[in-house]
Amino acid sequence: MSRDIQLKERWENVVTILSNQFAEGEQLDLDAIIYLIGVQELGKVKQTFKKDEKIELMHIAICRLLEPYGYYEFEFFDNDGWPHYKVKEELPPLKAGEQSVLMKDAIVTYFLERELIK
């Protein structure tokens, strides 16, 4: 099976599982899944977040997702328990489609590591 087909199938599996668990079956988009990963990484799942905190949660998720690719490195948790990352390598200029594929691949890898999918 080609890598592209495998990624597509795994991505659809992740979307289905998360949509059923968090959106009553309504399909979540890439940004919503990134947000959920940010909440998971913060570890405060029962909390309500302000708009600026939601943006920070997405940033946390992106840093965590791209950490294995060598773009970010975890630094520390601040006094409020929020993780902080530093840039190790700047992301190359990517077209929108390329960004989407990179993030989907990173999300699939994240959930493979957590054994949500196989």
Side-chain angles (χ1 to χ4, degrees):
M1 179 181 314
S2 81
R3 174 137 170 73
D4 291 343
I5 293 170
Q6 185 178 47
L7 175 60
K8 185 178 186 297
E9 288 176 357
R10 286 176 168 169
W11 171 251
E12 289 171 357
N13 194 12
V14 166
V15 171
T16 299
I17 291 168
L18 295 178
S19 294
N20 288 337
Q21 187 170 353
F22 296 103
E24 299 175 356
E26 187 175 321
Q27 189 162 342
L28 295 173
D29 64 10
L30 181 62
D31 287 341
I33 293 171
I34 290 170
Y35 170 76
L36 287 174
I37 291 169
V39 172
Q40 171 69 28
E41 288 299 309
L42 181 61
K44 298 181 181 180
V45 295
K46 302 274 189 217
Q47 186 173 329
T48 303
F49 298 100
K50 298 175 193 159
K51 183 177 180 177
D52 61 325
E53 291 174 322
K54 290 178 181 178
I55 292 167
E56 277 300 310
L57 287 166
M58 292 180 77
H59 176 72
I60 288 167
I62 290 167
C63 292
R64 171 59 188 88
L65 290 166
L66 297 179
E67 185 179 25
Y69 295 80
Y71 295 113
Y72 294 94
E73 181 177 62
F74 174 77
E75 278 195 296
F76 64 93
F77 287 102
D78 66 20
N79 292 337
D80 295 323
W82 287 69
H84 290 261
Y85 291 81
K86 70 177 180 180
V87 176
K88 282 182 63 180
E89 182 181 329
E90 292 292 327
L91 278 163
L94 299 171
K95 296 176 185 167
E98 294 169 329
Q99 288 176 0
S100 178
V101 170
L102 174 62
M103 292 311 301
K104 287 177 181 179
D105 186 57
I107 289 168
V108 164
T109 300
Y110 180 87
F111 286 111
L112 282 169
E113 290 171 356
R114 280 153 188 74
E115 299 179 350
L116 176 73
I117 61 169
K118 295 181 184 202

